[in-house]
Amino acid sequence: MPVVRIQDIGAHEGQEVTIEGWIYAKTGKGRLQFLQVRDGTGIIQCVAFKKEIDEESFAAAKSLTQESSVRVTGTVRADDRAPGTPGGFEVGLSNVEVVQISSEYPITPKEHGVEFLSDNRHLWLRSQRQWAIMRIRSTIMRSMREWLDTNGFMEVTTPIITPAAAEGTSTLFEIDYFGDPSYLAQTGQLYNEANMAAFGKVYCFGPTFRAEKSKTRRHLTEFWMIEPEIAFCTLDQLLEVEEQFTEHVVQTVLQQHKAELEILERDTSALEKVTAPFPRITYDEAIELLHKLREEETDPEMKEMLKIEWGDDFGSPHETVLTQQFEKPVFVTGYPTQVKAFYMTPHEDRPEVCYSADLLAPEGYGEVIGGSQRIHDHDQLLAAIKAHDLPVENYEWYLDLRKFGSQPHSGFGMGLERTIAWICGLGHIREASPYPRMLQRNSP
Ligand code: 4AD
Ligand code: MG
């Protein structure tokens, strides 16, 4: 009997098939046993009717507990009432083979607290909501690569163990590298710039690490980032790449994951609006807008949180109220040089702001992309490294890139889990990672 995966079941109507999977739920009424079987691609109702099945199989069906593994065989038939099945199919069983009877499964259909679920993350992943998020995660990763691969970018990997800090020294995870201090990479960017000079348009995609000491809904200590880097590219040119790339990712999920977005009860109307071009405002304009919004704010607590002066970086509340003013993701450009990384190019005629742009997602999700035009002048970069108190000897190779064929170039990094949280409409970033790492969690 051919083993068929549930996602393909519609092509087998009227045929006898075998499904290998797990019991998601079971209800029984004497001579009828309803098994909700999942196989990783979906859930389908399988019906064991005492009159139509051998005695041994019927007894096996009755003995199944939640998450028991099974091999079931039966005929695919259309049934509009079958819950949760793709296109409304169910299987009339002719054989049930028990592979393992599951011990009492800790995650039952009742409500569980998030700590309990997080402790059982290795099992929680089987639940329908988590299944939907991880399926979308996989498509987001694929669609990111897809867009870059078809637009002339080459994927080059960058190291995780690195001697140099790139995104500030306060969030470094230090490791003892045979007696030498080294760090887990906060970004692949510096190596990306070297790769870019070899291949023109490149990207890296991998795990990055930040010792974020605060507990928020947006921060992980280990997250994935995709980082394109483009030679001979200004910040304005970069933003066009960013908006097309983002549109492709969002629209691909909308096209391919209607069912998953429904499970997540995601209102997709906001996502449908994510088409290039995106609005752009300067940091100066954003500050002015924030002052006005704070003026209008009636909740005293929120008013306090919205306090901001020119030169401050945005916090979550600022990004939230800013993005509420726009239907699409919005670019904020020209941040103060002092709040951004050392490698960003200061404006020629106004060095207190730099050629930087963050992309803020709507509905309060905030920064999903950070990007900039890099300093390409050797002496200016050296001065910036010194001004940030970074040890010049660790950046000699990076400075080389400004000695041998330097040119204006730009790049950005999009956080994978932030993007998933936004597209899936999650209340907390932890659900966007299969095994989230946060301030108070590094297991399972
Ligand atoms: O703005 P960031 O720090 O930029 C960089 O690392 C650049 N080197 C990227 C580049 O130009 N190649 O981080 C980029 C993105 C953020 O916009 C956010 O989406 C995500 O990475 N991010 C985090 N995601 C989850 N948890 C954290 N602690 C994150 N920190 C940054
Ligand atoms: Mg940033």
Side-chain angles (χ1 to χ4, degrees):
M1 207 52 59
V3 174
V4 169
R5 303 198 84 193
I6 294 169
Q7 66 184 3
D8 305 321
I9 210 83
H12 296 270
E13 193 182 343
Q15 295 170 14
E16 194 166 55
V17 300
T18 294
I19 295 169
E20 295 173 326
W22 298 263
I23 302 300
Y24 193 67
K26 192 184 83 169
T27 49
K29 283 190 263 168
R31 293 163 350 112
L32 270 174
Q33 296 289 322
F34 297 98
L35 314 178
Q36 306 299 325
V37 176
R38 58 166 196 91
D39 73 346
T41 72
I43 299 177
I44 193 162
Q45 171 160 285
C46 299
V47 186
F49 185 28
K50 198 163 182 189
K51 265 189 2 199
E52 291 171 357
I53 197 167
D54 62 88
E55 224 168 89
E56 204 183 322
S57 285
F58 191 76
K62 275 187 97 165
S63 74
L64 292 169
T65 52
Q66 189 188 348
E67 286 304 315
S68 290
S69 36
V70 289
R71 197 171 285 119
V72 295
T73 299
T75 305
V76 180
R77 56 191 184 215
D79 185 340
D80 286 346
R81 291 156 307 163
T85 43
F89 292 96
E90 65 170 27
V91 177
L93 292 176
S94 55
N95 189 265
V96 176
E97 182 191 332
V98 177
V99 178
Q100 193 235 356
I101 292 288
S102 171
S103 302
E104 197 178 330
Y105 193 63
I107 303 176
T108 58
K110 69 163 203 211
E111 290 268 316
H112 295 284
V114 73
E115 280 309 305
F116 174 83
L117 290 169
S118 298
D119 287 342
N120 286 287
R121 185 60 171 166
H122 55 298
L123 304 176
W124 188 21
L125 283 174
R126 304 180 190 192
S127 301
Q128 224 186 352
R129 179 181 161 83
Q130 304 309 312
W131 172 86
I133 297 167
M134 289 307 131
R135 300 251 297 180
I136 292 174
R137 178 182 165 110
S138 167
T139 294
I140 290 176
M141 294 175 83
R142 184 173 60 252
S143 66
M144 286 172 159
R145 286 200 166 98
E146 198 171 72
W147 193 89
L148 293 168
D149 292 344
T150 53
N151 282 279
F153 289 78
M154 176 172 151
E155 182 170 3
V156 188
T157 58
T158 53
I160 284 173
I161 299 173
T162 148
E167 299 297 332
T169 50
S170 65
T171 61
L172 287 170
F173 274 116
E174 190 170 332
I175 55 167
D176 172 4
Y177 194 73
F178 306 112
D180 273 345
S182 270
Y183 310 104
L184 298 180
Q186 298 166 305
T187 169
Q189 183 195 317
L190 306 192
Y191 296 92
N192 241 359
E193 290 181 56
N195 297 339
M196 173 211 74
F199 304 104
K201 294 207 285 185
V202 296
Y203 68 98
C204 62
F205 194 10
T208 49
F209 305 87
R210 309 237 175 133
E212 304 278 2
K213 282 144 204 129
S214 57
K215 235 172 120 175
T216 80
R217 309 151 157 271
R218 294 183 180 183
H219 289 89
L220 295 167
T221 55
E222 177 178 320
F223 60 97
W224 279 59
M225 184 162 40
I226 190 155
E227 300 181 81
E229 192 75 28
I230 312 171
F232 301 96
C233 177
T234 63
L235 186 69
D236 282 339
Q237 292 170 318
L238 182 75
L239 299 194
E240 286 176 27
V241 172
E242 290 186 27
E243 61 199 1
Q244 287 172 38
F245 174 77
T246 305
E247 172 184 325
H248 176 76
V249 171
V250 172
Q251 297 306 322
T252 303
V253 173
L254 278 176
Q255 280 160 22
Q256 299 183 4
H257 290 286
K258 283 207 168 57
E260 287 81 356
L261 291 166
E262 228 165 82
I263 290 170
L264 298 171
E265 295 173 4
R266 178 68 166 114
D267 169 12
T268 52
S269 60
L271 297 176
E272 274 151 23
K273 297 187 185 115
V274 182
T275 50
F278 300 159
R280 294 148 163 70
I281 59 167
T282 63
Y283 172 87
D284 297 341
E285 290 164 344
I287 288 288
E288 231 171 85
L289 186 54
L290 282 169
H291 285 162
K292 180 177 140 279
L293 293 168
R294 180 162 183 266
E295 202 67 5
E296 292 163 7
E297 181 60 56
T298 49
D299 175 15
E301 208 177 316
M302 193 61 184
K303 214 177 175 88
E304 185 59 29
M305 288 198 293
L306 284 178
K307 254 188 189 161
I308 192 162
E309 298 290 326
W310 195 99
D312 295 341
D313 203 357
F314 299 145
S316 291
H318 306 113
E319 290 185 354
T320 301
V321 298
L322 268 181
T323 56
Q324 280 165 354
Q325 310 304 306
F326 300 89
E327 286 201 318
K328 291 186 184 190
V330 55
F331 286 115
V332 179
T333 62
Y335 281 83
T337 309
Q338 62 184 19
V339 303
K340 289 294 185 190
F342 74 93
Y343 52 71
M344 296 190 185
T345 312
H347 266 266
E348 304 76 5
D349 45 6
R350 215 183 140 204
E352 67 276 18
V353 298
C354 59
Y355 284 96
S356 60
D358 281 0
L359 182 66
L360 311 183
E363 303 169 88
Y365 283 96
E367 183 193 337
V368 285
I369 290 182
S372 63
Q373 188 171 322
R374 325 305 193 185
I375 297 176
H376 64 279
D377 177 75
H378 177 277
D379 294 349
Q380 195 180 6
L381 183 60
L382 179 62
I385 291 169
K386 287 181 175 162
H388 280 80
D389 278 329
L390 296 167
V392 177
E393 65 275 15
N394 286 341
Y395 297 83
E396 292 292 359
W397 68 267
Y398 186 60
L399 284 160
D400 268 359
L401 306 174
R402 276 69 179 169
K403 286 187 204 158
F404 308 113
S406 193
Q407 22 63 49
H409 62 278
S410 300
F412 70 90
M414 181 181 234
L416 175 65
E417 289 80 6
R418 291 258 182 107
T419 305
I420 295 167
W422 163 41
I423 295 178
C424 291
L426 309 181
H428 196 293
I429 196 168
R430 72 181 143 232
E431 280 185 302
S433 167
Y435 301 99
R437 299 290 179 249
M438 294 169 294
L439 183 59
Q440 275 138 344
R441 180 168 293 281
N442 61 355
S443 73

